[in-house]
Every structure is written in C-alpha cells, then in structure tokens.
Amino acid sequence: MSRVAVLGGGVAGLSAAHELATRGVDVTVYEARDRFGGKARSFPGPTDGAALPAEHGFRFFPGFYRHLTETMTRIPDGDGGSVADHLVAVPEMRQALVGGGRTVPTSAPTTLAGWRERVADLFGGQDVPADETAFFTGRLLQLLTSSEDRWEAYDDVPWWEFVRAEEMSEAYRTHLAYGITQTLVAMRPERASTRTIGRIYLQLLQDIFAPDRDADRILDGPTSDVWIDPWVAFLERQGVEFRPSTPVRALESDGERVTGVRVAGADDDRRVAFDQYVLAVPLGVARRLRTDALDAAAPSLRGLDDLDTAWMNGVQFYLSRDVSPAGGHVALLDSPWALTAISQREFWTDYDFDAHPSVDGVLSVAISNFDAPGPDGRSAREHSREDLADAVWRMVRDHVPELGDDDLVDSQVDPALSWDADAGELRNADPLLINTVGSRRNRPDAETTCANLALAADYVRTHSDLASMENANEAGRRAANVVLDRLDVRSARAGVWPFDWPEFVEPLRAQDELATQFGLPHLGQGSDVVWSGYRRLTNGLR
C-alpha cells in the first residue's frame, strides 16, 4: 500500500487526511503543536478550579460553508450523531457603536416591510445617506451580474476604489467599506481584492435572505471538545497515524521529486520518506521549507513570496455572570482595532461550568486590526499581552454598557502572540493570509508539477477563495484528489463545489460574458458616470 505523509495537522491537513483515509490510503499526519486543529483548536486557559476553555478567537460557520460542514456530517460525535449536530444557529447580530448601534435578525424576512427593514439595517440604516446606500446596492448588483472573466479582473481592483469609499460619508466608510472587510476577514479595504470581498458579501447576503439557510452558526462547545478531538479519534479508527509535537524541519528534493522529510525527533531530527506528500503547513512555514531544489520541482511555490498576511487573534474574557451583548456576534464597528465579539456561555449548553466556581460567562473577542492606533496612540501590536487584554476590555466595555469592571474575573490572550522586549512589540506565530489586490495569481493550485507533492492550506487557490476554515477544507479535498489520481485509487473523488449563484442572475451573467468577449464594460459601470454627475451637481448646490 502506498504511504502518504500529511505535513500539518490544521483544518486543511485533517481534511486531506480524512478524504484519503476513508478511501483506504495509509496516512501519517505530522503536527508541530501538541494539539491538532491549527488556528481552530482550543487550548487551556487560566485555572479556576480547572483549566478554563480558550480559543484562538471564535468559530464562525456561515451558511455558505458547504465543504466544511459536509465533512463535519461525516465525523461521528460519539453520541450517535455527527459533529455537524453541534452547530447551532444564532438568531441575531449586533452592530455596536459607542453610545448606540442596532440589532439585526439573521433569519430571512417574511414580509415586504421586513425585507425593507433588513436591507436598511444591513446597509447602515439611517446613518448612511440614502443616495450612498443606493450606490452601494448598485455596486453589489454589478458584482452579482458579472461574468466569471469579469470577476477575475476584479482581483486587480481594490474594494475601497470599487465602492468609491473616498468620496462617501464617514458613516458609509464605517458601515459598508470597512465593516465586513475588517471585522470578518482582517483586511484593509484599501488593499483588499474586490473579487474576494465582493464574493463574500454576496454569499453572506444570500445566507441572510435565503429561508432555507442559517446565516450564522457557531459550535455548542469548545472547538476541540465538540469537533477537533472527535475528528482525530475518528481518523485514528480509520488507520491514520498522528505525530503531534513533531514539526517539519526540512523538505528534501532532488529537483524533480520530494525525496524525504526531516522532522523533529525525541533527541534529534530524523528523516522519513513516503510515496506522496501533502504540504498543509501555514504560509510562513511553507516559505521556510522552500529550497532551490524544491522550487525547481514545484515552481508554483515561488508565488508564496508575494502573498501578504495580517493578524487576527483573540482574547477570552471570563466573567462572574453570563452577560450576552446579543444573541449572536457583535461587530464593534467604530472600535479602532475592528473588534468582533460573542458570548460563548449561552451557546456552550453542555459545557460543565460547575467546575469553575468563579466563572459563569465567557466572552470571546477577535482583534482584526493590529496596526491602527488605539486610544493612547499605540497600535495593538505595541501592547504587551497584559496591556492588550486591558485595552480590548475597555473597548468592549465602551460598546457594551451592561458590562462593568466587577464582571471581569480573568482573561486569556491567544498564545500565538508573544512579547518581544527588544523590538517593543508583539510577535505572532499565526498570521493570516489576506487576499490583497492581485494576490490570486500568486496563490498555487493544490496540484504541483512535483509528481509526489500536493498543497493543502488556506493559501491554495480554491472556489472558496477567502483564507478561512472553508477554504482550508476545500484545499484539503483538492490535495486529496490529486493524490488519489496519482495513486490510481478506484474511488469517488472528494466533492468540490463552486459558488452557488442565484438562478435569476444567470441570463444577466451570460450577457456580461458576451460583453467581456467584445471588450465592453459591464452595463452597471454606466452608473459611475451618473453618480459622478450627481455628486458634482449636489456638491454645487451645497
């Protein structure tokens, strides 16, 4: 039997291992950490009777996560169901501002008035001028009716430029230009690819307005407890061998094939060899593993040097009482560090909080902008771990007035963040790929020209596009299919699905496909001329 090494035990690596092992392939997974799951894993927090649960930030499973949730339906949870049964829909989200904000239901509207109200809420309500809301809606309609060739061209257009944010009000920039790009995907809209942001926007809107979808889901317990650990246990029963605390030191190549891997041993590095290799390590590790010989075997790896990363890490706050700012996620829209939060306690219904006598609430907060100055002029990365937790707590408290300092028992900063005293700033072991303008062309496919190397990571080119758990899972599936083809395994290949476009736009997309073949602009681009004239007119009347 052919042997396959999966190098990296995050979501991408586990996904590749899953598709291979369930088709009878002999798989060994190597992971640098002592726990599997990558950025999705849980880890021990402070002790309060027992170790409190802590997360990288929080898990978010929108309705369009098709690849990942399908895999989860095939992972037994040990109680007669699957780990997908531990996904619970959240009923609402809150757009929080200092001194205000609004709560928006995540279920589909059932009346015409409900539709009008929902659209207004999602697009800034009364805060954003009506003419600017109309323009933004037109931008989304242009994206919705664009051909695939047009979408590829959007990868070279910054989102900030596409939505003409510079010309708009501050409310427009806060709610529409910045909102989704920073709080969900840690990207600066000035640099973010319109292709990526536009697709995510449209998929999220489809989730919210489709009556048969849950727009926002989270897990009903700590991630490792209800998903990752059962996944590893299932794969072990399929014959997968796991090697935790075994980082990859070197990937050896003769310029045509991978000839072996050096991994950390108990006393010294050791060399292991397999028939096929799936590289599923983070971007920074993949860059370090590259050599001239490996680049010669797999030239697509050279594009990794031109990809950008940003930071998106979390802080857990442990509270003396269960305080729920909303029945779902809370976007702190005017927080300088683009914070997003959720109360975990109300959803972790089966977790034994009785083991923690002082804690009755867990608030997870994700920081999506580490570079913007905070209230004291320092960026998030210029704070020590302790100072960072204090500063984030103050921002959360300003947006959630029902919280008080007496509620705070303890906190846990993501262990990926460490303080570099010499540099006077934080270091991050888990940076996140960001889809900057033009980056798609530099992202490699899962299949390489190296005959025994496939790639599975969130930087692999996929339909999902955005660096996320969904993208990692799809990349793992694609890598597994490459290996299955090379090994000539007689089995159905792992499913890979494109973006699900609404049927009613297909004729318009076909029309735009014809327009692109003749070098014509999208019909919606005529609104730019109208908008510019309208702006000149209204500015002249002021």
Side-chain angles (χ1 to χ4, degrees):
M1 179 184 292
S2 299
R3 299 170 63 245
V4 178
V6 175
L7 310 177
V11 171
L14 293 177
S15 299
H18 187 124
E19 302 301 338
L20 292 169
T22 54
R23 290 166 174 79
V25 178
D26 186 344
V27 179
T28 301
V29 179
Y30 293 90
E31 166 57 34
R33 297 186 177 93
D34 61 350
R35 302 193 78 179
F36 293 88
K39 288 190 283 291
R41 77 194 188 288
S42 307
F43 46 86
T47 300
D48 181 64
L52 287 156
E55 307 275 340
H56 177 80
F58 50 74
R59 307 279 73 77
F60 168 54
F61 298 82
F64 68 82
Y65 272 23
R66 183 175 181 184
H67 297 88
L68 185 67
T69 49
E70 194 278 338
T71 295
M72 294 173 76
T73 64
R74 295 185 282 128
I75 304 170
D77 67 354
D79 294 322
S82 74
V83 300
D85 297 330
H86 294 269
L87 290 172
V88 293
V90 300
E92 61 187 21
M93 64 173 289
R94 181 174 171 184
Q95 300 171 337
L97 300 165
V98 174
R102 63 179 59 84
T103 298
V104 182
T106 58
S107 57
T110 57
T111 66
L112 182 60
W115 276 79
R116 287 198 301 266
E117 182 179 351
R118 187 68 49 80
V119 170
D121 283 340
L122 290 171
F123 292 165
Q126 301 300 314
D127 298 335
V128 180
D131 57 344
E132 295 182 356
T133 298
F135 177 80
F136 186 79
T137 303
R139 298 279 83 175
L140 294 182
L141 289 173
Q142 176 177 326
L143 293 173
L144 192 61
T145 55
S146 290
S147 66
E148 284 303 311
D149 287 342
R150 189 86 67 193
W151 273 102
E152 292 304 313
Y154 290 147
D155 194 52
D156 292 319
V157 180
W159 177 248
W160 189 262
E161 177 183 313
F162 182 75
V163 299
R164 302 184 73 158
E166 200 64 40
E167 305 170 27
M168 305 298 181
S169 65
E170 187 62 31
Y172 178 98
R173 289 192 283 270
T174 297
H175 287 276
L176 302 179
Y178 277 108
I180 190 175
T181 58
Q182 292 203 144
T183 57
L184 291 183
V185 294
M187 282 194 282
R188 297 286 297 173
E190 295 89 345
R191 301 178 59 212
S193 158
T194 292
R195 183 187 191 280
T196 299
I197 297 302
R199 289 174 96 90
I200 296 301
Y201 239 119
L202 293 178
Q203 291 180 94
L204 288 172
L205 289 174
Q206 281 198 79
D207 287 349
I208 290 173
F209 291 111
D212 59 343
R213 292 190 190 181
D214 292 320
D216 187 355
R217 298 164 295 177
I218 66 170
L219 290 165
D220 64 2
T223 308
S224 290
D225 291 359
V226 300
W227 172 27
I228 302 298
D229 291 347
W231 198 3
V232 171
F234 169 71
L235 293 180
E236 286 179 328
R237 294 194 296 273
Q238 302 302 306
V240 176
E241 295 186 23
F242 286 94
R243 299 285 184 266
S245 303
T246 310
V248 176
R249 303 296 195 195
L251 203 56
E252 299 176 348
S253 174
D254 61 5
E256 296 181 355
R257 299 176 62 87
V258 174
T259 55
V261 178
R262 291 202 172 274
V263 297
D267 301 314
D268 201 356
D269 291 355
R270 58 191 177 90
R271 184 180 184 278
V272 293
F274 291 80
D275 300 296
Q276 290 282 330
Y277 302 85
V278 176
L279 187 62
V281 296
L283 178 60
V285 178
R287 285 169 170 164
R288 292 196 296 271
L289 293 176
R290 286 178 49 215
T291 61
D292 290 343
L294 188 61
D295 281 357
S300 60
L301 292 175
R302 294 168 181 160
L304 300 183
D305 284 342
D306 295 316
L307 299 178
D308 292 324
T309 59
W311 294 11
M312 189 174 187
N313 302 73
V315 182
Q316 313 284 299
F317 294 106
Y318 304 97
L319 310 177
S320 59
R321 61 190 181 100
D322 182 18
V323 179
S324 300
H329 291 94
V330 182
L332 284 60
L333 292 180
D334 55 352
S335 58
W337 297 343
L339 304 182
T340 314
I342 193 168
S343 170
Q344 303 279 26
R345 176 69 171 90
E346 63 179 306
F347 299 103
W348 289 358
T349 53
D350 292 332
Y351 184 81
D352 182 17
F353 275 92
D354 291 339
H356 310 293
S358 303
V359 172
D360 199 41
V362 179
L363 188 68
S364 289
V365 182
I367 309 166
S368 299
N369 188 342
F370 276 77
D371 297 314
D376 66 356
R378 291 183 297 160
S379 68
R381 69 173 69 221
E382 294 175 295
H383 287 67
S384 68
R385 287 171 55 86
E386 295 77 11
D387 288 347
L388 181 70
D390 290 342
V392 171
W393 172 253
R394 290 193 297 272
M395 292 181 195
V396 172
R397 191 189 56 198
D398 289 343
H399 287 79
V400 185
E402 54 266 45
L403 278 173
D405 287 340
D406 291 343
D407 294 317
L408 183 60
V409 176
D410 211 334
S411 63
Q412 172 68 54
V413 176
D414 188 338
L417 299 175
S418 59
W419 180 248
D420 185 333
D422 293 334
E425 64 179 17
L426 291 168
R427 298 298 184 201
N428 192 350
D430 284 325
L432 182 74
L433 172 77
I434 55 172
N435 300 66
T436 51
V437 171
S439 62
R440 185 169 173 80
R441 67 175 63 92
N442 296 314
R443 295 169 63 186
D445 291 320
E447 184 173 12
T448 73
T449 55
C450 179
N452 64 344
L453 177 67
L455 305 178
D458 58 9
Y459 49 81
V460 168
R461 190 182 297 150
T462 63
H463 291 311
S464 305
D465 195 38
L466 179 72
S468 60
M469 295 184 297
E470 171 76 352
N471 196 83
N473 180 268
E474 184 186 339
R477 289 165 174 260
R478 289 174 177 269
N481 288 343
V482 170
V483 173
L484 292 170
D485 287 345
R486 289 172 176 172
L487 298 180
D488 197 24
V489 174
R490 296 184 179 181
S491 178
R493 298 306 185 242
V496 174
W497 300 282
F499 176 41
D500 183 22
W501 295 97
E503 289 186 12
F504 73 88
V505 303
E506 290 300 343
L508 296 171
R509 297 185 73 235
Q511 180 182 2
D512 190 52
E513 180 66 38
L514 186 63
T516 57
Q517 291 177 11
F518 285 95
L520 299 174
H522 188 283
L523 288 176
Q525 289 177 234
S527 64
D528 278 353
V529 178
V530 175
W531 174 258
S532 296
Y534 169 78
R535 270 305 207 203
R536 285 194 295 270
L537 176 62
T538 54
N539 287 338
L541 294 175
R542 288 173 185 158

